[in-house]
Amino acid sequence: MSPPVAPPGWSRWLVPPAALSVHLSIGQAYAWSVFKPPLESALGLSGTQSALPFQLGIVMLGLSAAFGGTLVERNGPRWAMTVALICFSSGFLLSALGAATEQYWLIVLGYGFVGGIGLGIGYISPVSTLIKWFPDRPGMATGIAIMGFGGGALIASPWSAQMLESFGSDSSGIALAFLVHGLSYAVFMLLGVLLVRVPRSEKPVESAPSAFDGPQVSAGNAVRTPQFWCLWIVLCMNVTAGIGILEKAAPMITDFFKETSTPVSVSAAAGFVALLSAANMAGRIGWSSTSDLIGRKNIYRVYLGVGAVMYGLIALFGDSSKPLFILCALVILSFYGGGFATIPAYLKDLFGAYQVGAIHGRLLTAWSTAGVLGPLIVNWIADRQEDAGKSGADLYGLSFMIMIGLLAVGFVANELVRPVSARHHIPAPREAADVTARQQSESA
């Protein structure tokens, strides 16, 4: 299913809303925690069991993006958005059946496996198209779309909570909430499927450069370059550092100030989590747009270098100043979001637009790795420190030092990034023929 080519006069500013409709929908994944307590109560699950659908979903996101990236490039954004719609919505419908029949394995299969495929394909579906529409501002364009993934939970979290309050938090109420989610997201994502267009030419804006200017590298060749693996390390380290705070935000701020004269209440901790979500979302558009001005390598120097400083300030002084703790955490989470939004443009700078969506998909395996690594470091060390009789900020000091070390590794990897060797480039005649053939098939 190829998307229709944009007619003459089509505004490229209609493409970001198409991408947003998909990313705001699949961004619901960050609101899974709303369903954890009701599922544990209704189905008699442990905390580890109730987290399994989300964990499997993130793993499938990375795997489906990696293995499906080439198909997305070959078949176009409309095909990819359609696949994402079917899988993500079907995942909710299977979960609704599982909740109604109290068969938890169906929820894991639906939300985690089937829905996770929708997450991965949906996440990368608009990237290549946006870069081709906005060759002059690729960081801003991908930032707008990926901002939606970070902000999806801001919509889904209160909406899900309200549904559970209205329908009830027993198995039938959870099933009905899943059903409404599946149908509603199908309609919303359909807007993106219908709206997305590909540019008629390599230069959608006359004053802008072509997205295909400069060296072009295939996805198969990209993974053989040191540049790809340097960026894999960069993304993995940046995401690990951000998710280390995000995954344990509420208990972390409570622990830090538990033994002070100004302890943090449950409601204040929840407000802190909301602030982090806002910083995550704002960083995706703000920092990625800044990268268009100062360059991708420089912005990652900021993410990794300043991020390490922020972690150091929290480790040394965080428990003595609540505003300092909050400010540093917000900056780290803005870098976490900005790193996700900037990486497609960084890939385009190095490998060209030829198969940037497929290359991006392969790189997202770094996210799957970080999704396991970050929480494991923070939680395992906190548990060991608690067993040793420590409390408060002492639970996190060692893990924060490890995060600083990981950010330093990412900083070095970023410094090692150089232009891709010419031996990996696609010959210009072949590239031109491929582009022409693709445009002709899309016009047919």
Side-chain angles (χ1 to χ4, degrees):
M1 179 190 296
S2 297
V5 177
W10 179 268
S11 173
R12 63 178 179 166
W13 292 100
L14 293 173
V15 180
L20 266 176
S21 72
V22 173
H23 273 244
L24 280 170
S25 299
I26 63 176
Q28 184 279 335
Y30 279 145
W32 173 254
S33 60
V34 174
F35 289 103
K36 278 171 61 65
L39 283 169
E40 290 167 17
S41 176
L43 302 181
L45 305 173
S46 67
T48 301
Q49 289 173 318
S50 66
L52 184 58
F54 171 77
Q55 291 173 319
L56 180 57
I58 295 299
V59 170
M60 292 307 301
L61 185 158
L63 292 177
S64 61
F67 291 104
T70 303
L71 290 174
V72 172
E73 287 287 346
R74 182 183 304 151
N75 297 318
R78 174 166 286 182
W79 174 88
M81 289 180 178
T82 301
V83 171
L85 183 161
I86 292 170
C87 290
F88 190 65
S89 296
S90 296
F92 269 114
L93 299 183
L94 276 172
S95 298
L97 179 62
T101 59
E102 300 188 0
Q103 297 293 316
Y104 185 59
W105 68 272
L106 274 175
I107 299 177
V108 175
L109 174 67
Y111 190 92
F113 184 80
V114 179
I117 295 173
L119 286 176
I121 299 299
Y123 191 88
I124 64 173
S125 63
V127 168
S128 178
T129 302
L130 283 167
I131 286 175
K132 290 166 188 172
W133 273 110
F134 292 88
D136 51 337
R137 286 181 279 182
M140 180 214 66
T142 54
I144 290 175
I146 293 175
M147 176 185 69
F149 192 84
L154 294 179
I155 298 171
S157 184
W159 182 41
S160 301
Q162 182 59 50
M163 276 196 285
L164 289 170
E165 184 178 333
S166 300
F167 301 150
S169 56
D170 58 358
S171 59
S172 61
I174 296 170
L176 189 54
F178 282 154
L179 177 63
V180 172
H181 273 76
L183 297 177
S184 299
Y185 283 132
V187 172
F188 195 56
M189 293 171 77
L190 184 61
L191 297 176
V193 172
L194 297 177
L195 191 60
V196 71
R197 299 287 190 278
V198 295
R200 297 182 64 84
S201 68
E202 293 181 22
K203 294 188 67 173
V205 178
E206 286 302 319
S207 59
S210 167
F212 291 94
D213 284 348
Q216 305 295 319
V217 182
S218 69
N221 283 343
V223 297
R224 299 185 180 97
T225 65
Q227 288 83 354
F228 176 89
W229 294 106
C230 282
L231 287 190
W232 193 98
I233 293 171
V234 165
L235 183 63
C236 186
M237 298 302 100
N238 191 61
V239 173
T240 299
I243 212 168
I245 286 183
L246 184 63
E247 188 270 341
K248 204 174 175 64
M252 183 181 292
I253 193 172
T254 302
D255 288 336
F256 256 77
F257 299 99
K258 182 186 296 182
E259 299 171 1
T260 68
S261 59
T262 56
V264 176
S265 66
V266 174
S267 60
F272 174 61
V273 174
L275 279 176
L276 292 181
S277 296
N280 178 9
M281 183 172 65
R284 292 175 186 244
I285 181 61
W287 292 121
S288 61
S289 297
T290 303
S291 76
D292 289 331
L293 302 175
I294 69 172
R296 252 58 76 173
K297 193 167 190 173
N298 285 332
I299 201 68
Y300 272 96
R301 286 171 173 151
V302 173
Y303 296 158
L304 300 160
V306 178
V309 172
M310 294 296 104
Y311 258 115
L313 289 174
I314 294 177
L316 294 174
F317 310 111
D319 59 342
S320 61
S321 173
K322 197 177 296 181
L324 177 66
F325 178 94
I326 294 172
L327 176 62
C328 291
L330 291 176
V331 172
I332 291 170
L333 261 294
S334 75
F335 293 162
Y336 168 80
F340 278 122
T342 311
I343 203 68
Y346 206 164
L347 292 171
K348 182 263 180 187
D349 292 347
L350 288 171
F351 302 110
Y354 174 59
Q355 288 191 332
V356 67
I359 299 170
H360 183 221
R362 286 161 170 77
L363 196 78
L364 288 182
T365 54
W367 184 3
S368 297
T369 303
V372 175
L373 189 61
L376 180 64
I377 291 171
V378 174
N379 288 292
W380 186 84
I381 291 177
D383 289 343
R384 299 290 78 74
Q385 298 289 62
E386 189 173 10
D387 291 342
K390 296 184 179 181
S391 61
D394 291 338
L395 297 174
Y396 303 98
L398 177 58
S399 60
F400 284 3
M401 291 299 108
I402 293 174
M403 292 300 178
I404 292 172
L406 293 178
L407 287 168
V409 170
F411 191 94
V412 172
N414 184 52
E415 293 302 306
L416 294 175
V417 174
R418 298 288 186 272
V420 177
S421 171
R423 71 177 183 274
H424 297 293
H425 298 173
I426 294 173
R430 175 182 166 187
E431 173 210 325
D434 284 348
V435 172
T436 302
R438 185 168 63 252
Q439 289 176 346
Q440 288 175 347
S441 68
E442 289 170 347
S443 301

